[in-house]
Amino acid sequence: MDVNQAKQEHLLALKVMRLTKPTLFTNLPVTCEDRDLPGDLFAQLMREDPSTIKGAETLMLGEMLTLPQNFGNIFLGETFSSYISVHNDSNQVVKDILVKADLQTSSQRLNLSASNSAVAELKPECCIDDVIHHEVKEIGTHILVCAVSYTSQFGEKLYFRKFFKFQVLKPLDVKTKFYNAETDEVFLEAQIQNITTSPMFMEKVSLEPSMMYNVTELNSVASGDEGESTFGKMSYLQPMDTRQYLYCLKPKPEYAEKAGVIKGVTVIGKLDIVWKTNLGERGRLQTSQLQRMAPGYGDIRLSLEVIPDTVNLEEPFDIVCKITNCSERTMDLVMEMCNMRSIHWCGVSGRQLGKLTPGASLSLLLTVFSSEQGLQSISGLRLTDTFLKRTYEYDDIAQVCVVCPFMSNEC
């Protein structure tokens, strides 16, 4: 949509055209069998058509390129490019020509002009050309405002504007889910859906972690020296298709021992997505900082650092427990080990662990055995803070598979 500010005839003409990649020409082949009435007529016409592929005339895809016939769709993350031309249609020499291009969004107004200096003069049938580029970072209504000011040969100062309105659409639908592990690890699942009408080549989908975390991508499988993507060699995302990407975040060593710091961390990082569409037109989208709900560990956190996957029936095995003081006060802890129906602890119950300052951790080696087969839950630990006479019980800390060495039963 364009509107002239002034109704009078101007000496200069302004033309604006969006620059986009061309598309491959397509035609609709019409065929028939040889015994039909047209005979070989349709086949001969397709062979003579310059837009068809020689030897494959019945394919809809041709060899020629088609220039854009309309403004087309603009998606968030793409680069908007436009060609601006000011032509002198009169027989007069025009002076002090200034061309200005601004992009008005819902939140800001951006100057896209390459130069803000005026051109001294413009002779008849000559033109001033400029190409502007802008990476679109907002969705919604955008207005390209092109303004031209100049001075006629009689010293009259003239001015006019044109407005070009277009919509910026959302190309991807991104949904995230967080999973907190027993340790300080955080797993992020990102679901990315292509909501455009054309396929995309997903060039890169990465997670930029916050300063406290290191990230490991879990979107490939080991294959020789290099990992192979779980999505195959051709990473295309068809319209309305969805992909799921998985990432594991671990606290950096300097933050791993600071339980109070890690406990309150909600900012994980941001996703960086790069794709290409028809004929390699590139788009890039970065999400805002992803935030999770910080896990509530309470005053004391008990986690398992070492536990075997499979153990033998009625055979003691060792586990390593890590106790972390997540409160803001010093605790004096006592550990009690309570036997359960199938889980039996080895050692002295009521063990004095001593004082544990805020944010500090303590690792303990414990021995336990199971009297029943199958998948058993490690339970029965109890911690007591003697300062406040407060007790913390821990059940279902972890699970272990118990098998009989003389039988072939499996969990």
Side-chain angles (χ1 to χ4, degrees), residues 19-311:
L19 299 179
T20 59
K21 299 279 188 180
T23 57
L24 291 172
F25 179 80
T26 58
N27 53 28
L28 185 61
V30 179
T31 61
C32 66
E33 296 183 2
D34 294 339
R35 64 174 181 268
D36 291 338
L37 182 62
D40 190 46
L41 178 61
F42 291 152
Q44 182 180 351
L45 291 175
M46 286 191 294
R47 287 194 295 269
E48 295 174 355
D49 190 343
S51 65
T52 59
I53 300 175
K54 302 307 176 185
E57 291 83 5
T58 56
L59 290 179
M60 294 184 62
L61 203 61
E63 295 182 314
M64 307 181 82
L65 296 177
T66 304
L67 293 176
Q69 302 299 310
N70 50 46
F71 197 81
N73 294 325
I74 300 179
F75 294 99
L76 182 69
E78 294 182 344
T79 299
F80 169 70
S81 301
S82 183
Y83 167 71
I84 300 176
S85 177
V86 177
H87 185 267
N88 188 353
D89 290 345
S90 69
N91 55 5
Q92 303 179 21
V93 177
V94 179
K95 299 181 180 180
D96 301 328
I97 305 98
L98 180 62
V99 183
K100 187 178 180 182
D102 292 340
L103 186 63
Q104 178 70 52
T105 70
S106 59
S107 63
Q108 58 183 334
R109 189 183 182 100
L110 304 170
N111 181 19
L112 305 183
S113 301
S115 174
N116 292 322
S117 59
V119 178
E121 65 175 24
L122 186 64
K123 297 180 179 180
E125 301 302 325
C126 293
C127 61
I128 301 173
D129 300 323
D130 190 15
V131 176
I132 58 175
H133 303 279
H134 174 68
E135 184 178 349
V136 181
K137 299 181 179 180
E138 296 182 40
I139 60 174
T141 303
H142 287 56
I143 301 176
L144 180 63
V145 183
C146 298
V148 180
S149 61
Y150 61 96
T151 305
S152 67
Q153 65 180 3
F154 303 108
E156 183 182 6
K157 293 186 177 181
L158 300 171
Y159 171 83
F160 68 94
R161 291 188 301 174
K162 280 190 175 183
F163 301 88
F164 301 88
K165 185 177 180 180
F166 59 91
Q167 294 288 333
V168 175
L169 307 177
K170 185 179 177 182
L172 299 171
D173 185 25
V174 182
K175 298 179 181 178
T176 57
K177 295 180 181 178
F178 289 102
Y179 304 93
N180 297 309
E182 286 294 330
T183 60
D184 289 323
E185 295 177 343
V186 179
F187 290 90
L188 169 65
E189 176 192 349
Q191 298 180 359
I192 300 177
Q193 183 182 26
N194 177 9
I195 57 176
T196 69
T197 57
S198 59
M200 289 181 177
F201 173 75
M202 306 305 292
E203 184 175 299
K204 183 182 75 169
V205 179
S206 62
L207 175 65
E208 298 179 1
S210 61
M211 60 179 293
M212 293 186 180
Y213 286 94
N214 292 320
V215 64
T216 302
E217 293 192 10
L218 305 178
N219 305 308
S220 60
V221 292
S223 177
D225 296 336
E226 297 182 357
E228 182 179 347
S229 173
T230 55
F231 307 110
K233 295 181 180 180
M234 306 302 290
S235 184
Y236 286 101
L237 190 60
Q238 298 295 334
M240 304 312 295
D241 279 1
T242 302
R243 275 190 183 169
Q244 293 171 308
Y245 296 84
L246 186 62
Y247 304 90
C248 177
L249 296 105
K250 297 182 180 180
K252 293 182 178 179
E254 56 268 31
Y255 299 105
E257 298 300 326
K258 300 178 181 179
V261 175
I262 293 297
K263 175 185 175 182
V265 172
T266 58
V267 177
I268 296 300
K270 58 184 178 180
L271 287 170
D272 186 13
I273 307 170
V274 181
W275 69 89
K276 289 182 179 178
T277 53
N278 295 334
L279 295 179
E281 197 156 2
R282 192 169 181 266
R284 182 181 181 185
L285 183 64
Q286 280 191 329
T287 65
S288 56
Q289 289 288 345
L290 302 176
Q291 296 188 345
R292 62 157 182 165
M293 291 292 293
Y297 298 132
D299 292 340
I300 305 177
R301 181 186 179 190
L302 189 146
S303 60
L304 286 185
E305 291 188 317
V306 178
I307 182 172
D309 295 328
T310 305
V311 297

